[in-house]
Every structure is written in structure tokens, then in C-alpha cells.
Amino acid sequence: MRYARLQPKTDVFPHGSSKKLMKVLGIESSCDETGVAIVDSDANILADRLFSQVDIHAKYGGVVPELASRDHIRKLSPLVRECLQEANLELRDIDAVAYTAGPGLVGALFVGASFGQTLAWSLGIPSIPVHHMEAHLLVPFLHQPSGLSFPFLCLLVSGGHTMIVQANALGDYLVLGQSRDDAVGEAFDKVAKQLGLGYPGGPLIEQLAKKSVNKRDDFPRPMLDHASLDFSFSGLKTHTLLEYQKSTANYQEKADIAYAFQEAVTDTLYVKCQRAIKNTGLNTLVVAGGVSANQRLRDKFAHLSEKGINVMFPDLKVCTDNGLMIAYAGLQYAKIDKLVDEKEIKVFPRWALDG
Ligand code: KG4
Ligand code: ZN
């Protein structure tokens, strides 16, 4: 079991009482963003700091794990200081430290986990290991006045994962379908590399697709003839490369190819989500993870609202990795006193959401 109940010794979590608002510090370091944020138990954002390592990795065309770990080490402490300053708080005002325990790059995770646990230990407060994808899944509720409400469906689309999830309750998730090969964000990144656009590829493909004049729309929609809710994007990626190699590779043709690729991906996601809604009877769909920043995806999914589905996206600022989503997810566990009894620093580079 992932979580053991651990009643804090001191009265730091006056659950159900109005004595004190608890404050949770969140740390994200699973990949190439160092994120730190503080939220309180009313989900007020007290501070939020993010350092993106994009410039460090861009010249390599992807994330270099060792460089990512080293830079997390450099940035974490200054970002925590900045957050405390922004929130006008001192370390002793923090009630719990949440950190990403997985999935992600092992070295990068260890930086955040050891920093977070050591900080919590030295302050005598609980630490909360957070599942990175659960944090993505929950963060769209951060800006909802009514707060978090189960059950719902979630399309999780990031650089490492593509899943349709039935979220029953906090920590109770059923994966209904997932990618059998490339994640959507990964496919965006690889296609961008093939087209010589740079990294990260998602936003670059989106921008280029806007310049398409012919609005080419003849790329295959993978696995739509398949009854399952699984996906496969690797064939579409190869198809895109072959089309690019056949073209003259001028700017306009590249834009048309980027457009055709984006249409095929977003249509596929849309159709599978429609099926998941039909199969489960759930009428709230949350779309989250880095790719949820894509405006074309947002426009298509808006059609579901016209059909009576409550479609929710995170604020653009919290679509890609950030510390706020970790603080917010940690807060949900802290609120129900569901904290982990940690005797050693553990990370889970591969961690199933329904495991
Ligand atoms: O959630 P995230 O920040 O990191 C992971 O957990 O993987 O997602 C990063 C992914 C990258 O693959 C990036 O290319 C993609 O999200 N992404 C986008 C857009 N913004 C970020 N993909 C398509 N359109 C975008 N606007
Ligand atoms: Zn992520």
C-alpha cells in the first residue's frame, strides 16, 4: 500500500477545525522543470516559483537526465527561499512538505525527494510523496470555486503518459486506456525534431500549424477501428516523417504537415474520450498534462460542452510541470491525514497510477 495513516504528533493538521490554515510546500523535480509552491488548506496560492531547464536541454534536442538532476540541486533551495519571501512566511510556518516521488527521471526525483524529506524531517513536520500524474489530474480543480469533486473522467496527456482514467476518489483510479507506444507529448516532440523545429516540440508544432494555408487533413487516426480505449502514436509519427521526406520541405509544406499531424492526434483523443464518456456514463471530463495547453485540442473538446459534458482544463499556467500541482495534491492527502510513514528516501521512476 502506498500510504499508511500517520497521525501527526503536534496539532499541525486541525482537520475540520478553523483554528489554523495549514500550509503545504510543494516540490516538483521529476523532469526538466524545478517547481516550488505554497498553498494553504483553503487552496489559496501563497507562492509559486518555476525554473524551466529548457535552455539547458534544447541544444541536445531532449532532456539530459544528469544535467537535469544537477540543475534541480542548484535551484531548489533558492526557489524555496523566494517562495517563503513571496508568501511572507518563515520555514517554521510550513505544516507539510509534498514532493514528487514518481514517475520520472530517477536522479531528478531523488533530488526533490531528499530535499523535501530532509526539510520536513528537520522541521518535525510530515512529508507527502506525490504521484506526478495524480497531481496533473487534480490541478484543474485548483481554480474551481467548488473545489475537488469525484467521480470524473480524465484524459492525461503529457510527455511521458497518455491515459484515459476513471477517477473514483482520491488515490482510487482506474486506467481505462493508454498509449501502447509513444505518449502524445513525446510524439509532438519527436515530430518537431523531425521537422527541425526544436524542443519542446508541442508548442512549436502548434504555432507552425497555425500557418497552414492548405489545412491538409489526410493523416490516419490510429486505432479508431479498435474497440479498446488504447492509443498508438508511433505509426502516425512515422507517417508524418515519410510525408515530410516526400515534400520539398519548404515552410508552407511543413506548416501543412504540422497541421495534419495535430488534427490526427486531437481527433483521435476526442473520439476515444467520447467513447469513454459513453461507456462510463460519467459527464465530467478533465483534460490535463502538458499537451492540455494545446489550443486546437481545447477548441475540439469544447464541442463536448455543447453536448452537456462538463469539460475542464487546467489554467494554462499549470498545464505543464509545476510545483503548484504538487502542493495542491499533497494538500488533498494532508486534509484527510493520509500521510506516509517514511523511514527511507524512496522514489518510483515507474509508478502506475492505479498501482
Ligand atoms: O506534463 P509535462 O510538462 O511533462 C510531463 O509530465 O511529461 O508535458 C510536457 C509535454 C511535452 O511533450 C510538450 O511538447 C507537450 O507537453 N506540450 C504540448 C504543448 N505544450 C506542451 N503539446 C502540444 N501543444 C502544446 N501547446
Ligand atoms: Zn508532467
Side-chain angles (χ1 to χ4, degrees):
M1 197 168 87
R2 272 171 46 201
Y3 292 98
R5 274 184 189 272
L6 175 73
Q7 210 59 44
K9 286 185 208 78
T10 53
D11 187 23
V12 291
F13 292 149
H15 186 54
S17 108
S18 57
K19 265 193 281 177
K20 181 176 168 235
L21 281 177
M22 70 173 120
K23 298 175 192 72
V24 178
L25 179 101
I27 294 173
E28 158 61 25
S29 73
S30 66
C31 191
D32 58 346
E33 317 276 343
T34 319
V36 180
I38 305 171
V39 293
D40 72 19
S41 40
D42 278 348
N44 293 309
I45 301 163
L46 306 183
D48 182 21
R49 285 283 189 274
L50 187 68
F51 181 84
S52 170
Q53 302 178 355
V54 161
D55 291 345
I56 296 173
H57 303 290
K59 53 178 169 290
Y60 304 101
V63 178
V64 183
E66 177 61 23
L67 297 184
S69 311
R70 289 184 201 184
D71 207 59
H72 288 310
I73 293 173
R74 276 187 212 108
K75 296 294 173 346
L76 266 178
S77 164
L79 290 180
V80 169
R81 278 169 212 265
E82 285 177 28
C83 275
L84 290 170
Q85 219 167 14
E86 183 186 339
N88 202 15
L89 294 172
E90 295 187 22
L91 268 180
R92 63 165 180 267
D93 298 320
I94 301 296
D95 298 301
V97 180
Y99 62 88
T100 306
L105 302 170
V106 64
L109 289 168
F110 261 123
V111 175
S114 41
F115 187 98
Q117 276 200 41
T118 308
L119 183 62
W121 179 59
S122 62
L123 292 169
I125 58 175
S127 61
I128 309 166
V130 169
H131 192 297
H132 179 86
M133 297 313 294
E134 182 177 21
H136 272 303
L137 175 145
L138 297 174
V139 79
F141 292 92
L142 172 66
H143 297 101
Q144 290 286 315
S146 50
L148 182 57
S149 160
F150 291 97
F152 57 89
L153 269 177
C154 180
L155 172 68
L156 276 174
V157 272
S158 72
H161 295 84
T162 298
M163 296 186 259
I164 298 179
V165 177
Q166 183 177 317
N168 298 318
L170 193 64
D172 178 2
Y173 307 106
L174 184 64
V175 177
L176 303 176
Q178 57 191 315
S179 178
R180 296 184 177 185
D181 40 58
D182 291 354
V184 178
E186 186 182 0
F188 266 99
D189 293 339
K190 287 178 177 169
V191 165
K193 202 169 182 176
Q194 289 164 355
L195 302 185
L197 298 179
Y199 176 86
L204 298 170
I205 296 266
E206 180 176 7
Q207 290 317 314
L208 184 60
K210 283 187 190 150
K211 306 287 181 205
S212 171
V213 173
N214 295 315
K215 304 223 181 302
R216 183 177 170 181
D217 195 9
D218 58 347
F219 282 17
R221 273 65 172 154
M223 285 188 72
L224 285 193
D225 55 354
H226 211 273
S228 80
L229 294 175
D230 283 352
F231 302 95
S232 164
F233 293 104
S234 135
L236 177 61
K237 179 190 66 190
T238 309
H239 180 85
T240 309
L241 175 64
L242 294 176
E243 289 299 314
Y244 180 55
Q245 286 170 342
K246 272 199 291 186
S247 76
T248 62
N250 70 22
Y251 183 78
Q252 214 25 262
E253 273 183 278
K254 258 164 84 163
D256 291 342
I257 288 171
Y259 181 88
F261 168 77
Q262 185 174 256
E263 288 303 299
V265 169
T266 48
D267 273 356
T268 305
L269 295 173
Y270 182 82
V271 172
K272 292 270 173 169
C273 282
Q274 251 185 331
R275 288 183 194 166
I277 291 166
K278 193 161 169 251
N279 293 352
T280 59
L282 291 170
N283 66 356
T284 296
L285 174 70
V286 168
V287 185
V291 183
S292 69
N294 186 282
Q295 194 53 50
R296 187 70 183 129
L297 182 76
R298 288 176 174 239
D299 291 345
K300 280 192 184 162
F301 275 70
H303 292 304
L304 288 173
S305 313
E306 291 156 20
K307 297 180 180 173
I309 304 300
N310 174 25
V311 185
M312 288 171 55
F313 279 88
D315 268 21
L316 277 179
K317 217 175 148 244
V318 289
C319 287
T320 46
D321 295 349
N322 62 87
L324 208 45
M325 67 182 197
I326 305 304
Y328 183 69
L331 174 71
Q332 306 312 316
Y333 282 95
K335 273 181 160 178
I336 56 166
D337 294 337
K338 220 174 175 187
L339 308 164
V340 82
D341 183 8
E342 288 165 312
K343 299 200 171 54
E344 57 181 307
I345 295 171
K346 273 196 202 152
V347 295
F348 308 91
R350 290 173 183 276
W351 186 1
L353 189 61
D354 54 0

